[in-house]
Amino acid sequence: GLIWGVGAIVLYVPDGLAYQLFLVMGLVGMGAGCVYASASVMPSFFAYFYPSVLLPAILFLRGYDSLHVITGLLMIVYLSLMTPFALRVYRLIDESIQLRFENLGLIGELRDQKDAAEDANIAKSRFLAAASHDLRQPLHALGLFVQALQETPLAAREPYSAVAEASF
């Protein structure tokens, strides 16, 4: 920024209005580009933008005609308008970076929760498989016992009273 500011002073042609206009347009264009190029780090914005615009503005303010004084004042107004704009760009960049990190954190949490849910689903499936086997085995045995009782003739069975007395 200092090099551009000093360069503008060195390249200033006192009687060449076209050269001066070209110089101002170049500095204003470079300043506008600086907002997006270096607003993410505000000290670099200030280090470039202020010297590159303020030094030539002071040079124009020292002019003896109204055109040069107005040009110098407009450069200072430009400086004062672009600074809040650069601060807004900085805040937008900062917020987008924060949102990105928050989203990455949320994605990590979501992956962890998804993995935990998958692990819980696998554990549930294993439990249900084991419980199903443990419940089906006695029921199947009961079914076989009932079937065996149904297929055995009644005469071959012991009398009811003998079975009842043996159980007491």
Side-chain angles (χ1 to χ4, degrees):
L2 194 58
I3 291 171
W4 278 100
V6 171
I9 292 172
V10 171
L11 295 175
Y12 182 80
V13 179
D15 295 328
L17 193 58
Y19 291 111
Q20 294 170 7
L21 178 64
F22 182 73
L23 181 67
V24 170
M25 287 176 45
L27 291 172
V28 166
M30 296 285 286
C34 166
V35 169
Y36 292 105
S38 62
S40 60
V41 182
M42 285 308 289
S44 69
F45 168 78
F46 290 123
Y48 174 81
F49 190 65
Y50 275 74
S52 69
V53 174
L54 197 56
L55 291 176
I58 293 170
L59 180 67
F60 277 96
L61 284 173
R62 292 181 53 206
Y64 298 107
D65 61 343
S66 61
L67 179 65
H68 285 87
V69 172
I70 290 173
T71 303
L73 287 174
L74 286 175
M75 289 178 79
I76 290 175
V77 167
Y78 175 72
L79 187 81
S80 66
L81 291 176
M82 291 302 279
T83 300
F85 182 69
L87 287 170
R88 270 187 256 131
V89 170
Y90 167 74
R91 278 189 234 112
L92 286 172
I93 291 171
D94 190 46
E95 287 174 8
S96 68
I97 290 171
Q98 286 179 359
L99 285 174
R100 175 159 169 78
F101 282 120
E102 286 177 18
N103 285 342
L104 288 175
L106 290 173
I107 288 170
E109 288 177 22
L110 185 62
R111 280 190 186 129
D112 293 343
Q113 290 177 358
K114 180 182 156 256
D115 291 343
E118 286 176 353
D119 291 343
N121 188 32
I122 290 170
K124 175 199 63 137
S125 297
R126 286 183 184 155
F127 172 76
L128 288 177
S132 173
H133 178 266
D134 290 346
L135 289 175
R136 277 185 298 148
Q137 189 176 13
L139 286 175
H140 184 66
L142 248 163
L144 289 175
F145 183 66
V146 168
Q147 184 180 1
L149 284 176
Q150 286 176 348
E151 291 175 0
T152 305
L154 189 58
R157 294 186 192 165
E158 291 185 28
Y160 174 73
S161 60
V163 174
E165 286 177 14
S167 63
F168 287 112

